[in-house]
């Protein structure tokens, strides 16, 4: 069974996020805000949050407000993709979450209840006050139980087994990986994946398998190094479920 992540033979993956810095840095800079709902008494499981963040990015990219030439968000997304592809994950609970939900955006719910709201890109220094006051730190999440093998045939976003990142940072990275995979697809495969609800899985790669995953045949996220990890670190690889 084919997967929407499958690439034509010998086709190289898209450039990693943050590439061509000499060009991207001279353009107006935008950021894609993502907000994860993090209630004190019922936080989401880590893997569910990571997968939901990736699906939220894909849901925005497939939204008619982005894909239609005269779409309400199309110009902002184009400007964001022309510069560095920045994503920032913040957390909200209670009234903060309700107020964030009143801003234009899309809320995506995970298979196990995680909730992530994605907003159209904003200027780097132009955060709405409802989002600007939300905290970036404090998104350390756990899985109650190990997630187990990825479902058969489902695209997998493989995490670097040698890096330690907060859940918020990792959510941004899985969003990056999903976006790189999206860029590789033609319109028919994008429509197929969207119609299925963007099924995917996030797992930590076995240490022995990581070198082969990063050999240049699959989309790889190389972080710009603004927070937590060194510039150029390979964080996530997007692989078709049929290639596991």
């Amino acid at each position: 069974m084919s997967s929407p992540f499958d690439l034509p033979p010998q086709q190289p993956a898209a450039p990693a996020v943050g590439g061509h810095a000499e060009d991207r840095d001279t353009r107006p800079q935008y950021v894609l805000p993502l907000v994860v709902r993090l209630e004190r008494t019922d936080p989401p499981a880590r893997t569910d949050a990571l997968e939901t963040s990736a699906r939220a990015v894909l849901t925005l990219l497939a939204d008619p407000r982005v894909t239609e030439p005269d779409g309400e968000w199309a110009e902002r997304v184009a400007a964001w993709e022309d510069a560095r592809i920045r994503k920032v994950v913040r957390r909200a609970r209670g009234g903060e979450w309700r107020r964030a939900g009143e801003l234009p955006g899309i809320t995506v719910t995970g298979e196990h209840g995680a909730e992530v709201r994605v907003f159209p890109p904003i200027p780097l220094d132009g955060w709405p006050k409802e989002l600007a006051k939300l905290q970036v730190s404090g998104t350390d999440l756990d899985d109650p139980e190990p997630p187990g093998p990825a479902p058969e045939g489902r695209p997998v976003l493989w995490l670097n087994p040698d890096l330690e990142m907060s859940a918020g940072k990792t959510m941004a990275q899985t969003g990056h990986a999903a976006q790189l995979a999206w860029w590789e697809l033609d319109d028919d495969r994008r429509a197929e994946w969207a119609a299925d609800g963007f099924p995917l899985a996030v797992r930590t790669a076995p240490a022995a398998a990581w070198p082969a995953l990063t050999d240049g045949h699959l989309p790889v996220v190389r972080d710009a190094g603004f927070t937590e990890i060194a510039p150029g670190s390979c964080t996530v690889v997007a692989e078709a479920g049929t290639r596991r």
Side-chain angles (χ1 to χ4, degrees):
M1 182 175 62
S2 64
S3 162
F5 274 20
D6 288 329
L7 305 181
Q10 305 304 315
Q11 178 174 329
V17 170
H20 310 295
E22 67 278 5
D23 297 324
R24 292 177 179 271
D25 287 341
T26 63
R27 299 168 184 164
Q29 300 295 305
Y30 287 78
V31 60
L32 187 80
L34 296 124
V35 175
V36 58
R37 185 175 185 180
L38 193 59
E39 301 291 347
R40 296 180 193 275
T41 58
D42 189 24
R46 181 184 176 93
T47 296
D48 196 29
L50 300 181
E51 294 173 349
T52 305
S53 177
R55 290 178 52 239
V57 171
L58 293 166
T59 301
L60 179 130
L61 294 174
D63 192 279
R65 288 168 288 186
V66 173
T67 59
E68 296 296 331
D70 58 349
E72 180 182 355
W73 299 341
E75 185 175 350
R76 274 191 281 174
V77 169
W80 169 60
E81 291 185 332
D82 280 344
R84 285 189 177 270
I85 311 297
R86 301 174 188 256
K87 298 178 180 70
V88 172
V89 177
R90 297 176 183 254
R91 61 181 174 87
R93 61 172 59 97
E96 296 173 334
W97 175 256
R98 289 191 294 273
R99 287 188 288 274
E102 294 172 356
L103 298 175
I106 306 168
T107 298
V108 175
T109 302
E111 293 184 2
H112 303 287
E115 292 180 81
V116 176
R117 188 165 179 84
V118 60
F119 303 86
I122 57 175
L124 196 58
D125 57 355
W127 285 78
K129 64 179 185 301
E130 294 89 348
L131 302 183
K133 62 185 179 182
L134 300 179
Q135 293 189 15
V136 177
S137 61
T139 55
D140 292 325
L141 302 172
D142 296 313
D143 282 314
E145 299 178 359
E152 186 66 30
R154 184 173 294 195
V156 182
L157 307 181
W158 292 108
L159 304 177
N160 186 333
D162 297 322
L163 289 179
E164 292 187 10
M165 298 181 288
S166 67
K169 175 73 173 180
T170 313
M171 288 171 67
Q173 300 301 301
T174 58
H176 289 337
Q179 185 170 6
L180 289 180
W182 177 257
W183 285 348
E184 295 290 344
L185 306 181
D186 60 29
D187 290 343
D188 289 342
R189 288 188 292 170
R190 287 180 177 182
E192 177 186 353
W193 200 14
D196 289 340
F198 297 115
L200 56 83
V202 175
R203 297 292 187 272
T204 298
W210 184 249
L213 289 170
T214 58
D215 66 2
H217 292 87
L218 297 169
V220 180
V221 178
R222 292 179 174 84
D223 191 65
F226 294 121
T227 60
E228 296 192 24
I229 57 177
S233 298
C234 296
T235 57
V236 190
V237 174
E239 185 188 28
T242 53
R243 295 185 180 180
R244 287 189 288 112

